[in-house]
Amino acid sequence: MNQSISTAITAHAITKTYANAHRALDGVSLEVSQGEVLVLMGPSGSGKSTLIRTFNGLESLDSGHLDVLGLRLDAEADPRQIQRIRKRVGMVFQQFNLFPHLSILDNITLAPMRVQRQPAATAREHAMLLLEQMGIAEQAEKYPAQLSGGQQQRVAIARALALKPEVMLFDEPTSALDPERVKEVLDAMRSLADQGMTMVVVTHELSFAREVADRVMFMDAGRIVESSDPTTFFTQAKEERTRRFLRQID
């Protein structure tokens, strides 16, 4: 059912083990409220990217289940259910994954026209509004190779927004960027948060977590170690494992 709900995502004891017997998720339970910005932090291999990829069915579950915007995902998830969720949950990856042979405008309008059957004029109008929101409207007719990494990532954000998602997932969206390009992408994400978008963000960008997150969650070895508001997380972390991680990256 797609009833109005205050909780966007709920995970119930979800597990995921890969073929090499590495348990990426070990009984993870959490809730993400509508309009919340949740930042996931943790060392490499802690399970945070696997977790965020379960939220739109990119990673399957071994056990447990998810409720995403009122839709159930479990180990026996129907591909049609996954498609329903992906129409409502946008995702931005480390790599931009833009089609190099299409213009920026065509990259953004492709999914709305094919998936949602939007008329070309409607899709283009919305795409231009999104590019304006991202501060790169003047790049609409260029091709990805003509843009900087930061500009390409903002196009990737606009492309995800073109389907008018209710939740946005970000998997280390600035990790492939030169340091001077990071701020422009984080500013675009701040703008989305200010508009009330529900966001789950995997990142090591401490300033973003401090300033924008409603909650910061620390993961290690496939488990949630600690979860709190940013002030508490960064100044009064309860767990020694969390404090050790923060000392290493601060």
Side-chain angles (χ1 to χ4, degrees):
M1 292 190 299
N2 295 342
Q3 73 271 26
S4 177
I5 49 175
S6 60
T7 302
I9 300 171
T10 306
H12 301 267
I14 61 174
T15 66
K16 174 69 178 182
T17 303
Y18 290 113
N20 61 3
H22 170 64
R23 177 158 283 199
L25 299 175
D26 190 6
V28 172
S29 296
L30 61 84
E31 285 191 356
V32 182
S33 299
Q34 287 191 346
E36 181 179 18
V37 178
L38 172 65
V39 167
L40 299 176
M41 305 189 85
S44 178
S46 61
K48 55 193 186 298
S49 287
T50 300
L51 176 62
I52 201 172
R53 289 166 64 91
T54 66
F55 293 164
N56 68 347
L58 282 175
E59 291 285 356
S60 61
L61 303 177
D62 294 334
S63 63
H65 68 270
L66 287 159
D67 291 309
V68 181
L69 298 170
L71 299 170
R72 178 66 57 96
L73 269 182
D74 55 28
E76 308 298 326
D78 187 319
R80 290 171 296 183
Q81 185 80 321
I82 294 173
Q83 288 305 314
R84 292 185 195 103
I85 288 171
R86 288 180 184 169
K87 288 178 180 178
R88 301 173 65 190
V89 178
M91 187 159 188
V92 177
F93 303 88
Q94 296 178 34
Q95 301 301 325
F96 322 126
N97 300 322
L98 301 175
F99 292 111
H101 64 290
L102 296 179
S103 71
I104 297 310
L105 194 57
D106 288 342
N107 263 281
I108 297 172
T109 58
L110 184 66
M113 289 169 61
R114 289 194 176 179
V115 176
Q116 297 179 334
R117 307 296 186 204
Q118 286 186 22
T122 302
R124 289 174 68 87
E125 182 180 2
H126 187 221
M128 287 305 302
L129 286 173
L130 291 170
L131 287 173
E132 201 169 304
Q133 183 181 335
M134 293 293 122
I136 48 174
E138 73 283 357
Q139 310 295 340
E141 299 303 332
K142 292 185 179 179
Y143 289 83
Q146 297 174 282
L147 273 59
S148 71
Q151 289 172 327
Q152 289 187 60
Q153 190 63 296
R154 282 183 282 165
V155 173
I157 295 172
R159 181 181 57 183
L161 291 171
L163 291 174
K164 301 180 180 178
E166 297 161 64
V167 174
M168 283 287 288
L169 310 175
F170 294 86
D171 189 4
E172 301 200 33
T174 60
S175 64
L177 300 178
D178 295 331
E180 64 268 22
R181 300 297 181 186
V182 169
K183 182 179 182 299
E184 59 197 43
V185 172
L186 293 180
D187 284 346
M189 294 167 62
R190 285 186 179 94
S191 176
L192 281 180
D194 289 342
Q195 294 168 41
M197 175 65 75
T198 305
M199 298 165 60
V200 184
V201 184
V202 175
T203 186
H204 287 153
E205 297 293 339
L206 301 186
S207 63
F208 180 87
R210 286 189 177 105
E211 297 166 18
V212 183
D214 295 300
R215 190 160 46 113
V216 183
M217 188 172 286
F218 176 68
M219 293 187 67
D220 191 31
R223 297 180 179 178
I224 296 169
V225 175
E226 188 157 353
S227 178
S228 65
D229 66 89
T231 299
T232 302
F233 184 85
F234 288 108
T235 64
Q236 301 174 43
K238 296 180 178 63
E239 301 296 329
E240 171 55 28
R241 180 66 187 92
T242 309
R243 295 194 294 270
R244 189 164 74 247
F245 172 78
L246 291 173
R247 286 196 296 268
Q248 290 171 341
I249 65 172
D250 203 350

